[in-house]
Amino acid sequence: MQPPQDNSGFGGLLYIKAAAGLSVMEEANAQGSGNDAAIETDFGWVANGGLGIDLKNGFRLEGEVLYSINAASAATGTMNSAAVNSAQTQGDISLLGFMANLAYDFNTPYAINPYIFGGAGIASLKLDGVGQNGNVYDSSDTVFAMQGGAGLSTDLTDRTSLDLSYRYLETLKGQFSDASSNPFE
């Protein structure tokens, strides 16, 4: 019996991926004219998808789109030139990223194989109604982003695998403006 024939034109090297998970965001600091606030967020969620090429030498190249969102939970300091100090903070901080990644799969004799990855791209950062008592931020910026991570993968079928991974994503500081059009980052 012969294996199934691949008619994709890429010799079985093309793959798609989809994932969802938990988003944990570090404290955000808004600093600039009339703004010096520390903003904490709750746990959020992240979803991503991508298209890649398995180079069959352990390396994979992929393009990825990801979206994450975290609800603001507390703000302390100064927002829009007004003092804030409350856990009654509202709004969301979200990120929409477009990344180019390079991954390396470690081939092991076991059913679970580790991998590492890194990438770079752009991310649109959005502050949507973040603040309290009318002192809110509604602003966005697109900045350079980079990420790195590691994971474990196991094959469910010859065409499907299940992964568990961790990623750390960092962006350059975004340039935003408050309700009075004062700039901050």
Side-chain angles (χ1 to χ4, degrees):
M1 184 177 201
Q2 293 183 334
Q5 193 171 15
D6 180 10
N7 296 320
S8 70
F10 290 97
L13 303 177
L14 215 54
Y15 67 89
I16 58 172
K17 73 175 196 173
L22 179 67
S23 171
V24 180
M25 189 175 136
E26 294 179 351
E27 180 180 272
N29 293 301
Q31 296 180 328
S33 179
N35 294 281
D36 187 12
I39 302 167
E40 296 178 23
T41 61
D42 293 329
F43 291 128
W45 60 270
V46 60
N48 68 318
L51 178 65
I53 298 173
D54 186 345
L55 301 177
K56 297 297 184 188
N57 60 2
F59 287 97
R60 292 180 283 126
L61 295 171
E62 63 185 31
E64 176 182 48
V65 177
L66 61 99
Y67 178 79
S68 70
I69 188 166
N70 294 74
S73 60
T76 56
T78 306
M79 296 176 73
N80 296 323
S81 300
V84 293
N85 187 5
S86 173
Q88 302 289 323
T89 303
Q90 61 196 26
D92 299 309
I93 301 175
S94 62
L95 176 145
L96 175 63
F98 300 91
M99 307 296 288
N101 299 325
L102 175 65
Y104 182 77
D105 297 309
F106 296 94
N107 190 9
T108 68
Y110 308 107
I112 296 177
N113 292 305
Y115 64 91
I116 57 174
F117 67 93
I122 60 171
S124 175
L125 306 173
K126 184 174 183 183
L127 305 175
D128 187 15
V130 174
Q132 54 191 254
N133 302 329
N135 296 309
V136 297
Y137 297 147
D138 280 309
S139 189
S140 63
D141 192 15
T142 300
V143 296
F144 175 78
M146 58 188 164
Q147 66 180 351
L152 300 171
S153 177
T154 187
D155 291 335
L156 298 178
T157 70
D158 62 341
R159 295 185 180 259
T160 307
S161 65
L162 179 65
D163 293 4
L164 176 65
S165 67
Y166 167 83
R167 86 175 57 217
Y168 178 81
L169 187 137
E170 181 80 25
T171 68
L172 292 180
K173 292 181 179 181
Q175 303 294 318
F176 303 99
S177 59
D178 65 17
S180 302
S181 299
N182 293 319
F184 69 93
E185 53 181 42

